[in-house]
């Protein structure tokens, strides 16, 4: 494997966004790119990352390899990279280590690190292709704000989407709160628009603790997409350039 | 309150 990223910031942000949710992960490398799928310990949330080969330049992967990496270790090494450093990942066939180099674009500084790999027996779940009943695309900062504000009151949020819009509601010991958003187009800045596409109304309840965690990815993208269908896991997607993405799935809370 | 589900019930094991 040899994969060169123009901006180390991308990998730094991805790892920052997922390291509190999952600890030891296989980075599955093949000629289409680098993928990661991992569940949190309680099997309530799942992270699915895809960094397409087009996000790297150059990208070369001659043989499929799984790089088992502890994210705490990776975070320690990535802390040594500046955001605008050029980052190159390298691994041999049947590797013991993954090699990372950080090159400063404006100086002759080159740093190089090896991280020991681990054997990780990871359970891969098949995620069915779902036609979601409601898809909401909104500014990622808006979603962060809603989850943060409501998490101050309650552990759970009810998300209701109808043709009127989407409503986030919570009930807690001190009282209750809600935030409603309507579909709207911001003509001056499309990134601030709220798009709602609905085939049938949905109402689901989710743990705010996890949603707050997912919002650590907000720095990766101006926009976030929420996909919901009744009684199935929520998909929260942060799109990256070149069709790469960071997705989170969250199992709902059901019943009373 | 409502009960937290896990993903195993929704996503299939290979």
């Amino acid at each position: 494997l040899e994969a060169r990223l123009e901006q180390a910031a991308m990998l730094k942000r991805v790892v920052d966004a997922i390291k509190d949710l999952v600890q030891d992960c296989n980075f599955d490398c093949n000629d289409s790119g680098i993928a990661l799928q991992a569940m949190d310990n309680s099997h309530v949330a799942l992270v699915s990352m895809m960094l397409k080969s087009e996000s790297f330049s150059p990208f070369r992967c001659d043989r499929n390899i799984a790089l088992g990496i502890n994210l705490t270790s990776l975070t320690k090494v990535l802390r040594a990279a500046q955001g605008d450093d050029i980052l190159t990942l390298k691994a041999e066939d049947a590797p013991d280590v993954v090699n990372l180099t950080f090159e400063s674009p404006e100086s002759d500084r080159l740093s190089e690190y090896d991280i020991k790999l681990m054997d990780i027996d990871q359970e891969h779940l098949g995620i069915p292709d779902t036609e979601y009943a409601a898809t909401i695309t909104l500014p990622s900062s808006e979603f962060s704000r809603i989850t943060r504000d409501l998490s101050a009151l309650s552990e759970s949020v009810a998300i209701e989407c109808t043709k009127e819009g989407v409503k986030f509601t919570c009930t807690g010991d001190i009282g209750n709160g809600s935030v409603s958003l309507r579909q709207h187009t911001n003509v001056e800045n499309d990134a601030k628009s709220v798009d709602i596409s609905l085939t049938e109304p949905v109402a689901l309840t989710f743990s705010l603790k996890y949603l707050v965690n997912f919002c650590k990815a907000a720095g990766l993208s101006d926009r976030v997409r929420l996909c919901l269908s009744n009684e199935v896991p929520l998909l929260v997607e942060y799109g990256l350039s070149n069709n790469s993405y960071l997705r989170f799935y969250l199992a709902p809370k059901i019943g009373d | 309150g409502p009960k937290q589900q896990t993903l195993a019930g929704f996503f299939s094991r290979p």
Side-chain angles (χ1 to χ4, degrees):
Chain A
L1 169 82
E2 184 166 350
R4 182 178 175 275
L5 262 184
E6 282 297 330
Q7 298 265 316
M10 210 253 261
L11 189 64
K12 282 166 74 88
R13 286 187 186 139
V14 167
V15 174
D16 251 350
I18 65 175
K19 70 173 170 27
D20 297 328
L21 214 53
V22 291
Q23 284 76 44
D24 298 329
C25 302
N26 278 326
F27 287 70
D28 295 310
C29 309
N30 60 42
D31 58 11
S32 66
I34 302 177
L36 174 155
Q37 194 204 87
M39 268 192 291
D40 81 306
N41 285 333
S42 58
H43 292 196
V44 168
L46 182 141
V47 177
S48 171
M49 175 203 82
M50 179 71 217
L51 303 179
K52 302 262 192 192
S53 58
E54 296 81 12
S55 291
F56 301 89
S57 156
F59 183 89
R60 189 174 58 75
C61 185
D62 304 330
R63 202 158 303 167
N64 297 0
I65 46 171
L67 304 175
I69 301 178
N70 172 275
L71 293 188
T72 306
S73 309
L74 182 57
T75 300
K76 286 179 183 170
V77 167
L78 287 176
R79 215 168 271 152
Q82 302 278 332
D84 62 352
D85 280 356
I86 299 159
L87 182 154
T88 306
L89 291 165
K90 280 187 219 160
E92 313 268 334
D93 288 349
D96 296 323
V97 295
V98 58
N99 175 268
L100 293 93
T101 57
F102 312 136
E103 293 168 74
S104 164
E106 67 231 26
S107 74
D108 288 333
R109 189 179 198 278
L110 173 75
S111 46
E112 188 165 358
Y113 296 85
D114 287 329
I115 300 176
K116 289 180 197 163
L117 297 176
M118 327 166 57
D119 258 328
I120 300 169
D121 190 18
Q122 217 155 42
E123 186 178 33
H124 257 260
L125 292 181
I127 301 168
D129 267 331
T130 306
E131 292 283 337
Y132 288 97
T135 302
I136 305 142
T137 311
L138 71 161
S140 52
S141 55
E142 176 66 84
F143 184 55
S144 300
R145 183 179 170 197
I146 292 168
T147 56
R148 187 193 60 224
D149 292 348
L150 298 186
S151 69
L153 272 74
S154 175
E155 287 180 3
S156 303
V157 60
I159 306 178
E160 278 181 81
C161 194
T162 64
K163 61 182 186 341
E164 307 302 317
V166 58
K167 188 172 185 184
F168 302 83
T169 310
C170 76
T171 308
D173 292 340
I174 64 161
N176 54 59
S178 75
V179 180
S180 301
L181 300 175
R182 284 168 178 274
Q183 156 110 16
H184 91 108
T185 306
N186 186 310
V187 285
E188 278 169 22
N189 185 354
D190 195 45
K192 292 185 177 166
S193 296
V194 175
D195 301 312
I196 298 173
S197 138
L198 186 80
T199 55
E200 63 174 309
V202 294
L204 283 149
T205 300
F206 297 101
S207 161
L208 278 161
K209 177 181 75 174
Y210 287 95
L211 295 178
V212 167
N213 216 317
F214 299 168
C215 287
K216 289 175 184 164
L220 282 161
S221 173
D222 286 345
R223 307 279 287 164
V224 61
R225 194 158 63 114
L226 313 179
C227 302
L228 303 107
S229 283
N230 284 320
E231 300 192 10
V232 306
L234 164 73
L235 165 59
V236 178
E237 177 177 283
Y238 294 88
L240 311 173
S241 51
N242 301 103
N243 293 322
S244 295
Y245 58 78
L246 185 57
R247 291 178 182 161
F248 300 95
Y249 293 88
L250 179 60
K253 292 185 166 187
I254 293 179
D256 244 317
Chain B
K3 196 168 178 290
Q4 176 66 62
Q5 308 294 302
T6 66
L7 291 169
F10 301 100
F11 295 159
S12 57
R13 291 193 163 81

